[in-house]
Amino acid sequence: MPIRRALISVSDKTGLEELGKALHELGVEIISTGGTARFLREKGIKVKEVSEITRFPEILNGRVKSLHPLIHAAILARREDPSHMQVLRELGVEPIDLVVVNLYPFEETISRGANLEEALEQIDIGGPTLLRAAAKNFKSVAVVTNPKTYGEIIRELREKGDLSEQTRVRLAKETFALTSHYDAAIAGYLERVSGERGFPSILSLHAEKLQELRYGENPHQPAALYRWGYGLASARKVQGKELSFNNLVDLDAAWSLVQEFEEPTAAVIKHTNPCGVASAGSISEAYRLARDCDPLSAYGGIVGLNREMDAATAEEITSTFIEAVVAPGYQAGALEILARKPNLRALEFPLDQREPDFELKQISGGFLVQGRDKELLLEKRVVTRREPTEKEWVDLLFAWKVVKHVKSNAIVLAKDKRAVGVGAGQMSRVDSTEIAIRKAGERARGSVLASDAFFPFPDAVEKAAEAGVTAIIQPGGSIRDQQVIETADRFGLAMVFTGIRHFRH
């Protein structure tokens, strides 16, 4: 069924001149509204105003333009139904075969901090109505929403004079996804500005597929990357092989961790856990210290930096096998050095990117929603007879930031603003403590310890003291807190309660 008549009403004029001229050359009659009609006429393209068909002017400052039975009858009429076509003839209306519409930029408007009144004016009504009507009747009407697809639409029309049903179905599917996302964005915005606390009764999520991945956690699992809101999914890859599912999970963990710190900081991640973290005067020194926390585990790891990568850091990173790195930028010299390892994946992502206020975890038949763990501590209460020294305070707060990003049960030993031992993911806290001590070796002497949750028994404190740990930071809250404090006092340790737990499952 050839395309003879097109309705075009767009907010984004990108590519519109080329599309309009191509349709005109193909003999397609163009119907349009307001600013779109003016734009096309200025480019020398013949246009018929919607009001010429409806015999009804735009009203309410343009709020009502295309919302008219004659327009929607021309779109929704089923060409294979004689009764529908008879109605169009009686109304004196020709069918519309192509609808090209993109919507008012609501999300862009609210992202600029617009007030409620400005946001409401950017809620498109006529556009989604036209799109849904055309998408519903895809067997007879083609619908186009994205200027990026204009080129392929023009090519197919020139080659065939029409669009295939396969193309129409794909365009209809994209259209319903767009209008669903648009409504969800509006509902989410109104939820936020309403001032009501808690989670919405209906949570609408819309994610854009960015790419198919080679596989998931394991080769037999299919996988893909979707973008939802702000975050690492929007990072730019500057070099390297295709990113894997596991790469992306670990890069996200690395990026979340290094953003906790103001000083130049580097983290090395393995299976979402840090095996090394350090802060230093330069990012190259921070990376070297982080890698040397546990060089065996760091092999084949993922690196996160909170400073632009320079040549010195690139030399350090390429001196061993690293799977991927994420940083807020790369100096030209660094990129030249990284290019020697063409398989090493490098992502660039600015430090000021916002993340959603909540996070999801899937369970069978649904998913759990929680606010992000943004709080670091609620208090810094010394509970032992001895207060931490100035140096111990620095290391305690460093270790506390790190342990927040370690899988529970989590123990971190730190010294001189670097992790020296990490115990992650054990079923008992004393096991995690023993692992961290073993990883630290002689470096445990004079270190401090951070625990993501309280100590249920004094045993882990005893083992830490015997290994040479001098101070401990933990949430507190155990029914045996007093026993734990007395144990710390007996060994001459300083202990600080934070009043907040950082479980990570």
Side-chain angles (χ1 to χ4, degrees):
M1 189 178 297
I3 304 289
R4 297 191 179 92
R5 196 164 291 98
L7 189 153
I8 305 178
S9 179
V10 295
S11 172
D12 181 359
K13 305 297 190 292
T14 304
L16 180 58
E17 181 179 0
E18 293 79 5
L19 177 66
K21 287 181 176 177
L23 292 176
H24 181 70
E25 290 168 5
L26 290 166
V28 177
E29 181 183 22
I30 298 175
I31 305 162
S32 192
T33 61
T36 304
R38 285 192 298 275
F39 178 92
L40 292 169
R41 284 199 187 97
E42 288 170 3
K43 303 301 179 183
I45 301 165
K46 186 178 179 181
V47 179
K48 178 184 283 189
E49 289 271 3
V50 164
S51 57
E52 294 180 49
I53 297 172
T54 63
R55 298 178 291 280
F56 198 92
E58 293 184 12
I59 59 173
L60 305 180
N61 299 322
R63 277 193 165 198
V64 180
K65 295 190 284 277
S66 59
L67 293 168
H68 195 281
L70 294 182
I71 295 298
H72 287 276
I75 296 171
L76 284 164
R78 297 173 61 184
R79 309 310 194 255
E80 72 278 14
D81 188 327
S83 65
H84 283 203
M85 302 310 293
Q86 178 61 31
V87 169
L88 291 190
R89 285 191 291 271
E90 290 172 359
L91 293 172
V93 177
E94 296 289 340
I96 292 173
D97 311 306
L98 173 67
V99 172
V100 181
V101 172
N102 51 60
L103 306 177
Y104 293 170
F106 177 79
E107 288 181 283
E108 291 86 343
T109 299
I110 61 174
S111 69
R112 294 195 298 267
N115 61 36
L116 177 61
E117 196 62 34
E118 293 170 324
L120 291 176
E121 285 307 309
Q122 290 301 314
I123 296 177
D124 203 327
I125 302 299
T129 308
L130 290 169
L131 289 176
R132 287 173 60 83
K136 175 178 179 175
N137 202 22
F138 68 83
K139 290 186 176 180
S140 302
V141 182
V143 57
V144 180
T145 64
N146 189 343
K148 292 179 181 178
T149 63
Y150 290 172
E152 63 183 84
I153 297 302
I154 292 168
R155 282 193 297 275
E156 189 167 343
L157 286 174
R158 281 176 173 158
E159 291 172 7
K160 304 175 182 177
D162 191 8
L163 298 176
S164 69
E165 183 164 335
Q166 181 180 6
T167 299
R168 292 168 185 260
V169 170
R170 176 176 58 82
L171 293 171
K173 183 175 65 173
E174 292 173 1
T175 297
F176 282 120
L178 172 67
T179 57
S180 172
H181 169 64
Y182 196 75
D183 287 341
I186 296 166
Y189 170 75
L190 293 176
E191 187 81 39
R192 293 192 296 274
V193 301
S194 69
E196 295 180 14
R197 302 186 66 180
F199 294 104
S201 56
I202 297 176
L203 182 61
S204 299
L205 303 175
H206 179 89
E208 174 193 4
K209 187 168 82 169
L210 299 182
Q211 66 181 93
E212 297 276 346
L213 301 176
R214 288 176 62 197
Y215 51 78
E217 285 186 281
N218 300 293
H220 62 277
Q221 295 173 267
L225 170 63
Y226 285 79
R227 177 169 53 205
W228 166 60
Y230 302 94
L232 191 78
S234 301
R236 183 176 73 92
K237 190 173 84 166
V238 298
Q239 79 148 51
K241 288 196 304 185
E242 181 183 349
L243 287 159
S244 73
F245 183 99
N246 294 333
N247 289 156
L248 288 162
V249 172
D250 285 344
L251 283 162
D252 188 59
W255 191 239
S256 296
L257 197 163
V258 296
Q259 288 190 98
E260 295 276 2
F261 296 89
E262 297 293 330
E263 292 181 78
T265 301
V268 184
I269 301 293
K270 260 306 194 47
H271 303 294
T272 73
N273 283 305
C275 56
V277 187
S279 297
S282 69
I283 196 64
S284 60
E285 179 67 1
Y287 170 70
R288 186 183 65 77
L289 293 171
R291 179 194 62 203
D292 292 347
C293 169
D294 185 354
L296 182 64
S297 297
Y299 183 84
I302 302 293
V303 173
L305 309 174
N306 71 350
R307 291 292 191 278
E308 184 179 63
M309 186 189 292
D310 55 18
T313 311
E315 290 283 8
E316 290 283 355
I317 287 174
T318 55
S319 68
T320 58
F321 173 51
I322 292 295
E323 283 270 4
V325 60
V326 57
Y330 296 83
Q331 294 179 7
L335 290 174
E336 291 174 8
I337 294 165
L338 292 182
R340 300 174 195 162
K341 296 277 185 89
N343 289 338
L344 191 156
R345 305 152 175 94
L347 292 190
E348 181 178 31
F349 193 52
L351 284 167
D352 61 354
Q353 287 288 329
R354 293 178 289 118
E355 292 184 318
D357 293 330
F358 57 86
E359 57 191 13
L360 311 176
K361 188 177 289 288
Q362 186 175 353
I363 62 172
S364 177
F367 52 84
L368 303 171
V369 182
Q370 67 174 358
R372 287 189 174 274
D373 186 6
K374 295 181 178 180
E375 295 287 344
L376 183 61
L377 42 77
L378 297 180
E379 59 179 351
K380 292 186 289 185
R381 180 162 58 95
V382 179
V383 295
T384 46
R385 288 195 293 268
R386 183 172 80 78
E387 296 240 355
T389 66
E390 185 176 343
K391 179 181 180 301
E392 285 173 333
W393 269 119
V394 171
D395 285 338
L396 285 167
L397 294 176
F398 172 90
W400 186 244
K401 289 178 180 178
V402 175
V403 82
K404 180 182 170 198
H405 294 267
V406 180
K407 290 290 178 67
S408 302
N409 287 302
I411 297 291
V412 171
L413 301 189
K415 187 176 181 179
D416 300 324
K417 294 189 289 188
R418 61 182 289 205
V420 295
V422 178
Q426 298 305 300
M427 285 65 76
S428 77
R429 195 153 298 277
V430 69
D431 285 348
S432 289
T433 303
E434 289 176 338
I435 290 171
I437 290 169
R438 177 170 59 80
K439 290 281 188 179
E442 286 301 313
R443 296 173 301 179
R445 192 157 301 280
S447 69
V448 305
L449 180 151
S451 175
D452 68 329
F454 64 63
F455 293 99
F457 300 97
D459 51 359
V461 176
E462 292 173 350
K463 289 186 177 295
E466 290 165 359
V469 168
T470 63
I472 292 174
I473 188 167
Q474 58 131 324
S478 167
I479 60 173
R480 297 183 183 86
D481 272 352
Q482 191 55 43
Q483 293 179 38
V484 170
I485 294 168
E486 289 171 0
T487 302
D489 280 334
R490 179 159 53 88
F491 284 98
L493 274 60
M495 183 173 285
V496 177
F497 280 7
T498 65
I500 190 170
R501 187 181 73 185
H502 287 303
F503 268 172
R504 181 173 288 259
H505 284 81

